[in-house]
Amino acid sequence: MSQSPRKIQFILFLIVFTDMMGFSLLFPLFPKTLEFFLSKGDDSFFRTFYSFANILSFGGETKYTFVLFGGILGSIYSFLQFLAAPVWGRLSDHSGRRAILLFTTFGNTIGYVLWLFSSQFWMFVVSRVITGMMGGNLSVASAAMADQTDEKSRAAGMGFLGAGIGLGFVMGPLLGGISSQWTFMDSLYQEGTFVIFPASAFFSILVSLVSMVLVYLFLPATKPEKVQEKEIHPFLSLKKIESRNLVRISLLNLLFVLSFSGFEFVVNFFLSDTFQFSPKQIGFTFLYIGIIIILVQGGVVRRLSGKISEKKISLYGGVLVVLGMALLVFFGTESIGLFVSLFFLAFGSALVNPGLSSFASLESGKGDLGRSLGLFRSFGSLGRAVSPIVFSLLYFQKGPSFAFFVSLLLLCGFTILLGKQKERTT
């Protein structure tokens, strides 16, 4: 049964929403989960990782070693996304978007099951490895959205997809914080069978299963186009890519993600350390950020699409994130300053992400959207792989203000370079 493009776009919205919600449930639970493994005392694998983080942190305070420890785990996850995103994108060009999304959502489900049973740290690491590899499927969803839009409506489609990601990003931490207080599975955790916060892990499994059902039932199987055989990972043939604009836009994405995701990673610890926020309060802070992202990507971007260029949408966002980060650096230790800065950061990022995605898709050849957007997403994942360790070290050695100041400088560089980027003339 054929589906209209609008219905398919809505289905893709639901798919990325549930996918991102399941992934981000862990965010507010991360500090306490690491404390859980530290308190066990008999996990040699954890001790090895912790000793490595302690060496990098030069034997500092435990709370800062945790930040760095979390950074190492975050880097492993994102580095695997960097490797996997172009592969899934390229395979989807050959095998169809539906088949690859089914495989990756099933893989995510397996990863969350391992998280639930992670009474030992090595199981928790394996679960992050699996979900990291499967997390590259956003490039496939982006390619599927690009399939359903023309050039004039491309930014609107990417904004709609971004709104789904943003909504999932909101509901995940919020439900993670709320579900951390559910106790119906705690007896199995206390027996040593399950990880701490087992209800949250169980909820992630259910969310991932819903995503898989959505793909199977509602995303139509499309006949893939015959495309020229190329290396499956574009980094193997970076110099051969015809569109140098695509490479430059992907590099800009790397710079933006490096600077912005560094802030995103340490802000959890900043809220816990500076404001003594509980996991539930951190979840509500993410709700505030996410509502702004949803309203901007679901409303503002859709209205701007076709009226102004993708470059200008991204550029306006770059100016706003620079403003927001400057406010965070100078006024972020006060509650009002914190939430005003988060407003501009969320608003700006909600413009940059769909704007750059659409910008990159317009540089893609026919039948090559999966590969091109895989390259774009892969550069972003490389930024996320580097930023947790870099910003964790900055946070530990110099404090949150200095870490945010470095992010501010990088965002200024991103905005200046974006302003100089040429737009396609044909």
Side-chain angles (χ1 to χ4, degrees):
M1 182 175 66
S2 62
Q3 303 272 9
S4 69
R6 190 171 293 275
K7 286 183 179 179
I8 295 173
Q9 289 177 31
F10 183 66
I11 292 162
L12 289 169
F13 171 91
L14 292 176
I15 289 167
V16 297
F17 162 65
T18 53
D19 203 40
M20 184 56 66
M21 181 168 62
F23 156 68
S24 59
L25 268 164
L26 179 61
F27 286 4
L29 314 178
F30 211 52
K32 296 294 183 184
T33 299
L34 296 183
E35 288 179 16
F36 159 72
F37 286 116
L38 180 65
S39 66
K40 288 176 68 71
D42 60 347
D43 195 321
S44 58
F45 191 67
F46 177 86
R47 288 290 175 183
T48 301
F49 263 72
Y50 187 80
S51 297
F52 178 64
N54 203 44
I55 291 169
L56 286 180
S57 65
F58 305 105
E61 294 181 56
T62 298
K63 62 181 180 181
Y64 290 119
T65 303
F66 267 169
V67 177
L68 184 57
F69 190 100
I72 295 169
L73 284 177
S75 292
I76 292 172
Y77 181 93
S78 296
F79 183 72
L80 289 164
Q81 279 192 320
F82 156 69
L83 294 176
V87 176
W88 297 135
R90 188 60 179 161
L91 288 174
S92 75
D93 286 336
H94 286 276
S95 305
R97 318 296 186 205
R98 181 174 180 264
I100 300 304
L101 284 172
L102 271 175
F103 181 82
T104 53
T105 50
F106 175 74
N108 272 327
T109 305
I110 299 299
Y112 296 139
V113 170
L114 277 174
W115 173 27
L116 175 62
F117 285 93
S118 295
S119 58
Q120 297 296 316
F121 182 66
W122 70 266
M123 295 180 70
F124 182 74
V125 172
V126 172
S127 77
R128 298 300 289 168
V129 167
I130 292 173
T131 52
M133 291 178 65
M134 300 300 123
N137 62 3
L138 285 180
S139 64
V140 183
S142 298
M145 180 62 77
D147 291 338
Q148 302 301 319
T149 56
D150 56 26
E151 293 190 4
K152 282 191 70 176
S153 62
R154 185 67 48 79
M158 292 300 178
F160 190 47
L161 197 71
I165 294 171
L167 182 60
F169 186 75
V170 172
M171 296 305 297
L174 176 63
L175 290 172
I178 293 172
S179 62
S180 69
Q181 300 180 329
W182 297 346
T183 58
F184 68 93
M185 300 179 77
D186 278 4
S187 59
L188 291 170
Y189 149 63
Q190 291 161 0
E191 291 173 6
T193 305
F194 288 167
V195 74
I196 190 173
F197 307 125
S200 300
F202 181 70
F203 193 74
S204 285
I205 296 169
L206 294 180
V207 168
S208 186
L209 287 171
V210 168
S211 182
M212 189 163 58
V213 169
L214 287 172
V215 175
Y216 180 76
L217 292 180
F218 301 111
L219 191 65
T222 54
K223 185 178 179 181
E225 299 199 32
K226 292 182 180 180
V227 294
Q228 182 183 352
E229 289 295 330
K230 299 174 183 175
E231 289 87 347
I232 198 159
H233 202 293
F235 270 75
L236 300 174
S237 58
L238 206 54
K239 293 182 180 179
K240 299 178 184 177
I241 292 177
E242 294 177 9
S243 174
R244 305 319 295 170
N245 262 359
L246 175 62
V247 176
R248 283 188 285 268
I249 294 166
S250 298
L251 286 168
L252 283 170
N253 189 42
L254 186 153
L255 182 58
F256 175 74
V257 171
L258 173 65
S259 53
F260 197 80
S261 66
F263 146 75
E264 285 181 316
F265 183 79
V266 298
V267 75
N268 289 291
F269 298 93
F270 174 67
L271 294 173
S272 178
D273 190 30
T274 304
F275 293 93
Q276 288 77 52
F277 278 12
S278 66
K280 186 177 180 180
Q281 289 172 310
I282 294 173
F284 277 107
T285 304
F286 276 96
L287 173 63
Y288 168 73
I289 294 169
I291 287 173
I292 297 166
I293 292 173
I294 293 161
L295 292 175
V296 174
Q297 292 188 332
V300 176
V301 174
R302 290 176 70 82
R303 285 176 171 78
L304 292 177
S305 179
K307 297 184 175 73
I308 65 174
S309 69
E310 285 75 14
K311 175 185 172 180
K312 286 185 178 179
I313 292 174
S314 305
L315 196 56
Y316 293 155
V319 172
L320 289 175
V321 291
V322 167
L323 175 60
M325 193 62 71
L327 290 172
L328 185 64
V329 169
F330 296 107
F331 305 104
T333 54
E334 300 293 331
S335 294
I336 294 177
L338 170 69
F339 284 98
V340 171
S341 66
L342 291 178
F343 171 82
F344 286 107
L345 285 164
F347 199 116
S349 68
L351 293 177
V352 171
N353 286 316
L356 281 182
S357 294
S358 181
F359 204 177
S361 71
L362 294 177
E363 295 293 334
S364 305
K366 186 172 177 61
D368 215 21
L369 276 168
R371 179 175 179 270
S372 298
L373 289 172
L375 173 69
F376 175 81
R377 295 283 182 189
S378 184
F379 269 98
S381 296
L382 183 59
R384 286 190 186 90
V386 174
S387 62
I389 292 180
V390 170
F391 279 85
S392 296
L393 286 170
L394 291 173
Y395 188 99
F396 165 72
Q397 294 181 1
K398 300 292 184 180
S401 294
F402 186 80
F404 295 148
F405 182 71
V406 171
S407 184
L408 172 62
L409 293 179
L410 293 173
L411 288 169
C412 287
F414 161 78
T415 306
I416 292 169
L417 291 172
L418 177 61
K420 296 180 178 180
Q421 172 63 38
K422 292 180 181 179
E423 297 181 76
R424 194 176 62 166
T425 56
T426 58

